[in-house]
Amino acid sequence: VILGGSGRVQRQLDELRGIFQGEDLPNTKVAYIPTAHMWLDEGDSSVSKRSIGERRRRRMSEARKEGRILSEKLGMPVKTVDLAQQDLNVSEALEGTKIIYVAGGNTFFLRHHMRRSGFDMECKRMVVD
């Protein structure tokens, strides 16, 4: 599990390459979790006149794009998984994943959706197994 934060992404990518050096990188699956970055303050309408739903869709679109860029930089397949998605099956979404990259943002929002979606328990199970 890699916990992301501002300004450290390149260093973390280099560390990932070092950790998995010698492995079959094109077959090493990565789950990119942008949920902490997806939080939007509903009361802040000064930033945008778009609805909260539209702004969230735009953020998810940006997150998918970041996932594709991450995949290109790492040379590994990356699946973007938003833990705030209502009908998410976490076990299915993380199946075959060796690396979980969690983007920075609102940690309270992230922790809430980790618990609600079952990600926290699934992640623990993956580490133990």
Side-chain angles (χ1 to χ4, degrees):
V1 177
I2 307 291
L3 300 176
S6 60
R8 296 183 291 175
V9 174
Q10 189 59 50
R11 190 182 89 227
Q12 290 165 339
L13 292 176
D14 292 340
E15 288 174 9
L16 275 177
R17 282 190 207 94
I19 291 169
F20 287 90
Q21 191 173 23
E23 289 204 28
D24 186 13
L25 295 183
N27 293 316
T28 302
K29 294 181 182 176
V30 179
Y32 171 57
I33 313 291
T35 307
H37 180 68
M38 302 298 287
W39 179 81
L40 293 167
D41 183 0
E42 294 181 29
D44 186 9
S45 61
S46 63
V47 176
S48 175
K49 297 300 179 196
R50 292 186 170 89
S51 71
I52 195 86
E54 177 61 23
R55 290 189 293 160
R56 184 158 170 64
R57 282 188 291 279
R58 283 176 165 257
R59 285 240 175 130
M60 191 60 209
S61 177
E62 291 169 8
R64 283 191 203 97
K65 182 178 177 181
E66 289 168 5
R68 287 190 299 272
I69 292 167
L70 187 61
S71 179
E72 290 170 11
K73 286 184 176 182
L74 289 173
M76 301 175 187
V78 174
K79 180 176 184 176
T80 302
V81 180
D82 180 13
L83 301 178
Q85 182 182 335
Q86 291 300 319
D87 58 348
L88 177 67
N89 180 331
V90 176
S91 298
E92 197 175 283
L94 298 179
E95 189 175 341
T97 299
K98 285 193 173 187
I99 301 168
I100 300 173
Y101 184 91
V102 182
N106 185 312
T107 53
F108 296 104
F109 185 75
L110 172 64
R111 182 64 187 121
H112 168 77
H113 287 291
M114 286 172 67
R115 187 178 308 119
R116 186 200 55 77
S117 68
F119 173 81
D120 52 358
M121 291 292 145
E122 182 64 20
C123 194
K124 182 177 180 179
R125 185 197 61 75
M126 290 172 69
V127 170
V128 170
D129 289 349

